[in-house]
Amino acid sequence: MTSAAMTESLRRGTRIAHIGIAVRDLDELVPFYREVLGLPEVPLDDADGAAIAGLAAGDSLVELLEARTDDSPIAKFVAKRGPGIHHVCFNVDDLDGTLEKCRAAGVRLIDETPRLGAEGKRIAFLHPSATGGVLIELSEY
Ligand code: CO
């Protein structure tokens, strides 16, 4: 295989990795997603001061986020806006390249450089002011 072909075979394309939903009580909501919608549960570590329940919907996850500390982003979100969709995460082939493109396009970044996210992958958040009011997380495969 040529190196160009290998590079091409590693490309998977941008797709939705997970949707982060802020909840007040995981125990109250997990049964709906697991039993009623039938999404299998995927164990995930806490991140950013929130406990996370992962539920697989095909190749994407629903991540239910419950604040564990009062100063966590999820606690602030729920206090201000109530429970609901908090962010959408896209997997991208090249996180550094995508952040560079965002910068070049004048997209405001929350994370100037990638950091480790809930699934142990490199992630970065974009500011909602640049994305139609939606908090977007970018993640590497
Ligand atoms: Co996320």
Side-chain angles (χ1 to χ4, degrees):
M1 198 184 273
T2 66
S3 73
M6 268 172 72
T7 303
E8 196 50 44
S9 73
L10 291 172
R11 290 185 63 81
R12 289 185 263 190
T14 302
R15 59 182 77 170
I16 291 178
H18 63 261
I19 296 172
I21 300 175
V23 304
R24 286 206 169 92
D25 183 0
L26 285 178
D27 293 338
E28 198 178 294
L29 267 301
V30 167
F32 166 72
Y33 288 92
R34 196 180 50 207
E35 322 306 343
V36 180
L37 293 186
L39 308 184
E41 209 169 344
V42 177
L44 290 177
D45 291 334
D46 294 9
D48 289 336
I52 307 174
L55 297 130
D59 291 336
S60 305
L61 285 180
V62 171
E63 290 187 2
L64 303 180
L65 312 160
E66 182 194 323
R68 285 289 189 252
T69 61
D70 289 342
D71 60 348
S72 64
I74 295 302
K76 288 178 188 161
F77 178 90
V78 170
K80 193 171 163 192
R81 303 170 66 164
I85 292 180
H86 177 259
H87 67 275
V88 177
C89 177
F90 291 98
N91 273 142
V92 295
D93 286 317
D94 174 7
L95 179 57
D96 298 297
T98 304
L99 283 180
E100 212 38 65
K101 275 193 207 167
C102 287
R103 248 184 228 106
V107 172
R108 191 171 155 201
L109 308 178
I110 291 176
D111 296 303
E112 289 292 329
T113 54
R115 59 191 176 87
L116 282 186
E119 296 165 69
K121 295 170 182 169
R122 293 167 75 234
I123 60 138
F125 280 92
L126 310 181
H127 197 278
S129 62
T131 59
V134 179
L135 178 60
I136 288 183
E137 177 183 4
L138 300 175
S139 167
E140 249 170 16
Y141 277 102

